[in-house]
Amino acid sequence: QVQLVESGGGSVQVGGSLKLSCVASGYPSSSSNKHVAWFRQAPGKEPEGVASIVTWTGRTNYAESVKGRFTIYTGNAENTVELQIHTLAPEDTGIYYCAAKSGVSPGGLAPLMKDEYVHWGKGTQVTVSS
């Protein structure tokens, strides 16, 4: 059974930076082409996909609202995907979830739509204050 565990959230001031980590376990050894995405859920709203990566190719995909401030990449540790966030703003506040699926997506990009993902972590809270 695939499990995803997020970490790295916290309370930061506007303009600060954070690095979130997602560690996956339980993948079958044959499923190497993983799609991993980070979703942000603001209070009272649906989760919004902000960044995704195809781990086999390293190809990334970002929501327009975070381009230039968010960077997703595979970490040095096995089965780890990280999200580096710079210049945090109050609208970045929310619960950040890691989600994953295997397979192939059209265009070679991992999607940013939550219904595409099968496996989800429990989330890590990010609070940005001025």
Side-chain angles (χ1 to χ4, degrees):
Q1 182 175 350
V2 176
Q3 289 189 314
L4 304 174
V5 179
E6 304 95 335
S7 63
S11 296
V12 294
Q13 292 193 322
V14 169
S17 298
L18 271 180
K19 184 175 72 175
L20 308 181
S21 293
C22 172
V23 180
S25 61
Y27 266 105
S29 57
S30 60
S31 79
S32 60
N33 194 24
K34 306 180 191 67
H35 297 60
V36 180
W38 283 95
F39 287 79
R40 174 178 64 196
Q41 186 171 23
K45 295 188 177 181
E46 289 290 310
E48 169 198 18
V50 293
S52 66
I53 187 168
V54 179
T55 60
W56 184 252
T57 64
R59 197 167 177 190
T60 58
N61 189 18
Y62 296 95
E64 285 296 325
S65 60
V66 306
K67 281 183 178 178
R69 296 193 303 120
F70 286 31
T71 304
I72 187 171
Y73 55 96
T74 52
N76 291 330
E78 189 175 2
N79 291 329
T80 300
V81 171
E82 297 183 327
L83 182 69
Q84 179 71 55
I85 309 174
H86 293 295
T87 321
L88 279 154
E91 56 265 33
D92 294 320
T93 292
I95 302 174
Y96 283 71
Y97 296 95
C98 175
K101 72 180 191 82
S102 296
V104 178
S105 293
L109 292 175
L112 293 174
M113 295 168 287
K114 62 182 178 69
D115 291 344
E116 294 277 348
Y117 289 87
V118 178
H119 309 292
W120 289 80
K122 294 183 178 180
T124 185
Q125 175 72 45
V126 172
T127 304
V128 184
S129 57
S130 55

